[in-house]
Amino acid sequence: MLLIILAVNFFGGDDTTDEANPEATEVVSEAFGDGGGVVATPKALEPTGDPVADNLDRAELAGGPLDWSVLGAGTWAISDGAMVSSTASKDAQPMAVATVPDDLGDDWAFSISVDQPAQDAGLVWGVVDAENYWELRANQQYAAVVINRIEQGQAIQVKLFGPTGLAEGQRYTVQHLGDTITLAEGDTPFLSMSDPSLAKPRMVGVIASTEEEAAFTKPAVSKIDPKS
């Protein structure tokens, strides 16, 4: 991925861009606590054990093997084996979240595939509640992806990637090792970050704006196996 700086408002609807710098990244130190920050990205993800997968073969999202629930205004449903966000509640940002089972241990990975990309849809991790979490969100209009930390409902931008975006069939993984999260598209890691706030929360999932319908499939969580 090429890295660029874009001045993009992902939440207010007044999207603008500045001149792109293909060599640049944007990191906001205020997003991290003591000792935290963007760290070296590994060349490969750690190996995992057998996944706990959800084939979404039921009528309602709630429950299932990953015990899904919804945080924030708006709804998520299941349609034809996909998790689908609702457009019924204008300007809402609902999250569909699952809690990684305790028996998978402290180090784990969450993976999910994009079925229908949409403006402002993406992934969440380190979720404490509806106003405190980390996210990856896509701005399809400007071919960019933003990483934010959300604290008390306020977004602190960590990094922007582009030109890129969510596309049908892409599979993303959130790897958790101690207080470090590594994000990967397919088998390719593209960002690692460490922060004390990432050590304990086990809720992960997806988020979408109710301006457009988004859909995701094949969610799964796995225990990370120690290297031999």
Coordinates of all heavy atoms in Angstrom, one line a residue, residues 81-116:
G81 N -26.5 -15.4 5.0 CA -25.2 -15.8 5.5 C -24.3 -14.6 5.7 O -23.1 -14.8 5.8
A82 N -24.8 -13.4 5.6 CA -23.9 -12.2 5.8 C -24.5 -11.3 6.9 O -25.7 -11.3 7.2 CB -23.8 -11.4 4.5
M83 N -23.6 -10.6 7.7 CA -24.0 -9.6 8.6 C -24.2 -8.3 7.9 O -23.3 -7.9 7.2 CB -22.8 -9.4 9.7 CG -22.5 -10.7 10.4 SD -20.9 -10.5 11.3 CE -21.1 -9.0 12.2
V84 N -25.4 -7.7 8.0 CA -25.7 -6.6 7.2 C -26.1 -5.4 8.1 O -27.0 -5.6 9.0 CB -26.9 -6.9 6.2 CG1 -27.3 -5.7 5.4 CG2 -26.5 -8.1 5.4
S85 N -25.6 -4.3 7.9 CA -25.9 -3.1 8.7 C -27.2 -2.5 8.2 O -27.6 -2.5 7.0 CB -24.8 -2.1 8.6 OG -24.6 -1.5 7.3
S86 N -27.9 -1.8 9.1 CA -29.2 -1.2 8.8 C -29.0 0.3 8.4 O -28.1 0.9 8.8 CB -30.1 -1.2 10.0 OG -31.2 -0.4 9.9
T87 N -29.8 0.7 7.5 CA -29.8 2.1 7.1 C -31.1 2.9 7.7 O -31.4 4.0 7.3 CB -29.9 2.3 5.6 OG1 -31.0 1.6 5.1 CG2 -28.6 1.6 5.0
A88 N -31.7 2.3 8.7 CA -33.0 2.8 9.2 C -32.8 4.0 10.1 O -33.6 4.9 10.1 CB -33.7 1.7 9.9
S89 N -31.7 4.1 10.8 CA -31.5 5.2 11.7 C -30.4 6.1 11.2 O -29.2 5.8 11.2 CB -31.0 4.6 13.1 OG -30.8 5.6 14.0
K90 N -30.9 7.3 10.7 CA -30.0 8.2 10.1 C -28.9 8.7 11.0 O -29.1 9.0 12.1 CB -30.8 9.4 9.6 CG -30.0 10.5 8.8 CD -30.8 11.6 8.3 CE -30.1 12.7 7.7 NZ -29.2 12.3 6.6
D91 N -27.6 8.7 10.4 CA -26.4 9.2 11.1 C -26.0 8.4 12.3 O -25.2 8.8 13.1 CB -26.6 10.7 11.6 CG -26.9 11.6 10.4 OD1 -26.3 11.4 9.4 OD2 -27.6 12.6 10.6
A92 N -26.5 7.1 12.4 CA -26.0 6.3 13.4 C -24.7 5.5 13.0 O -24.4 5.5 11.8 CB -27.1 5.3 13.8
Q93 N -24.0 5.0 14.0 CA -22.7 4.3 13.7 C -22.8 3.0 14.5 O -21.9 2.8 15.4 CB -21.5 5.1 14.1 CG -21.5 6.5 13.6 CD -21.0 6.6 12.1 OE1 -20.3 5.7 11.7 NE2 -21.4 7.6 11.4
P94 N -23.6 2.0 14.2 CA -23.7 0.8 15.0 C -22.5 -0.1 14.8 O -22.0 -0.3 13.7 CB -25.0 0.1 14.5 CG -25.1 0.6 13.1 CD -24.6 2.0 13.1
M95 N -22.1 -0.8 15.9 CA -21.1 -1.8 15.9 C -21.7 -3.1 16.2 O -22.5 -3.3 17.1 CB -20.0 -1.5 17.0 CG -19.1 -0.3 16.7 SD -17.8 -0.2 18.0 CE -18.8 0.6 19.3
A96 N -21.3 -4.1 15.4 CA -21.6 -5.5 15.7 C -20.4 -6.1 16.4 O -19.3 -6.1 15.7 CB -22.0 -6.3 14.5
V97 N -20.5 -6.5 17.6 CA -19.3 -7.0 18.3 C -19.4 -8.4 18.9 O -20.5 -8.8 19.2 CB -18.9 -6.0 19.5 CG1 -18.5 -4.6 18.9 CG2 -20.0 -5.8 20.5
A98 N -18.3 -9.1 19.0 CA -18.2 -10.4 19.6 C -17.1 -10.3 20.6 O -16.1 -9.6 20.4 CB -17.9 -11.4 18.5
T99 N -17.2 -11.1 21.7 CA -16.2 -11.2 22.7 C -15.4 -12.5 22.5 O -16.0 -13.6 22.4 CB -16.8 -11.2 24.1 OG1 -17.5 -10.0 24.3 CG2 -15.7 -11.3 25.2
V100 N -14.1 -12.4 22.3 CA -13.2 -13.5 22.1 C -13.3 -14.4 23.4 O -13.1 -13.9 24.5 CB -11.8 -13.1 21.9 CG1 -10.9 -14.3 21.8 CG2 -11.7 -12.2 20.7
P101 N -13.7 -15.7 23.2 CA -13.8 -16.6 24.4 C -12.6 -16.6 25.3 O -11.5 -16.7 24.8 CB -14.1 -17.9 23.8 CG -14.7 -17.6 22.4 CD -14.0 -16.4 22.0
D102 N -12.8 -16.7 26.6 CA -11.7 -16.7 27.5 C -10.8 -17.9 27.3 O -9.6 -17.9 27.5 CB -12.2 -16.7 29.0 CG -12.7 -15.4 29.4 OD1 -12.4 -14.4 28.7 OD2 -13.5 -15.4 30.3
D103 N -11.4 -19.1 26.8 CA -10.6 -20.3 26.7 C -9.6 -20.2 25.5 O -8.8 -21.1 25.4 CB -11.5 -21.5 26.6 CG -12.4 -21.5 25.4 OD1 -12.3 -20.6 24.6 OD2 -13.3 -22.4 25.4
L104 N -9.7 -19.2 24.7 CA -8.7 -19.0 23.7 C -7.4 -18.3 24.2 O -6.4 -18.2 23.4 CB -9.2 -18.2 22.5 CG -10.4 -18.8 21.7 CD1 -10.7 -18.0 20.5 CD2 -10.0 -20.2 21.2
G105 N -7.4 -17.9 25.4 CA -6.2 -17.3 26.0 C -6.1 -15.9 25.7 O -6.9 -15.2 25.2
D106 N -4.9 -15.3 26.1 CA -4.6 -13.9 26.0 C -4.2 -13.5 24.6 O -4.4 -12.3 24.2 CB -3.6 -13.5 27.0 CG -4.0 -13.6 28.4 OD1 -5.2 -13.5 28.7 OD2 -3.1 -13.7 29.3
D107 N -3.7 -14.4 23.8 CA -3.3 -14.1 22.4 C -4.2 -14.7 21.4 O -4.3 -16.0 21.4 CB -1.8 -14.5 22.2 CG -0.9 -13.8 23.2 OD1 -1.2 -12.6 23.5 OD2 0.1 -14.3 23.6
W108 N -4.8 -13.9 20.5 CA -5.8 -14.5 19.6 C -5.8 -13.6 18.3 O -5.2 -12.6 18.2 CB -7.2 -14.4 20.3 CG -7.4 -13.2 21.1 CD1 -7.2 -13.0 22.4 CD2 -7.9 -11.9 20.6 NE1 -7.5 -11.6 22.8 CE2 -8.0 -11.0 21.6 CE3 -8.3 -11.5 19.3 CZ2 -8.4 -9.7 21.5 CZ3 -8.7 -10.1 19.1 CH2 -8.7 -9.3 20.2
A109 N -6.6 -14.1 17.4 CA -6.8 -13.4 16.1 C -8.3 -13.4 15.7 O -9.0 -14.5 15.9 CB -6.0 -14.0 15.0
F110 N -8.8 -12.3 15.2 CA -10.1 -12.2 14.7 C -10.1 -11.9 13.2 O -9.3 -11.0 12.8 CB -10.9 -11.1 15.4 CG -12.1 -10.6 14.7 CD1 -13.3 -11.4 14.8 CD2 -12.2 -9.4 14.1 CE1 -14.5 -11.0 14.1 CE2 -13.4 -9.0 13.5 CZ -14.5 -9.8 13.5
S111 N -10.8 -12.7 12.4 CA -10.8 -12.5 11.0 C -12.3 -12.4 10.4 O -13.2 -13.0 11.0 CB -10.1 -13.7 10.3 OG -8.8 -13.8 10.7
I112 N -12.4 -11.6 9.4 CA -13.7 -11.4 8.8 C -13.6 -11.0 7.3 O -12.6 -10.3 7.0 CB -14.6 -10.4 9.6 CG1 -16.1 -10.6 9.2 CG2 -14.1 -9.0 9.4 CD1 -17.0 -9.9 10.2
S113 N -14.5 -11.3 6.5 CA -14.4 -11.0 5.0 C -15.5 -9.9 4.7 O -16.6 -9.9 5.2 CB -14.7 -12.2 4.2 OG -13.7 -13.2 4.4
V114 N -15.1 -9.1 3.7 CA -16.0 -8.0 3.2 C -16.9 -8.7 2.2 O -16.4 -9.2 1.2 CB -15.2 -6.9 2.6 CG1 -16.1 -5.8 2.1 CG2 -14.2 -6.3 3.6
D115 N -18.2 -8.5 2.4 CA -19.2 -9.0 1.4 C -19.7 -7.9 0.6 O -19.9 -8.0 -0.6 CB -20.3 -9.7 2.1 CG -21.3 -10.4 1.1 OD1 -20.9 -11.3 0.4 OD2 -22.5 -10.0 1.1
Q116 N -20.0 -6.7 1.2 CA -20.4 -5.5 0.5 C -19.8 -4.3 1.2 O -20.1 -3.9 2.3 CB -22.0 -5.4 0.6 CG -22.5 -4.2 -0.1 CD -24.1 -4.1 0.0 OE1 -24.7 -5.1 -0.3 NE2 -24.6 -3.0 0.4

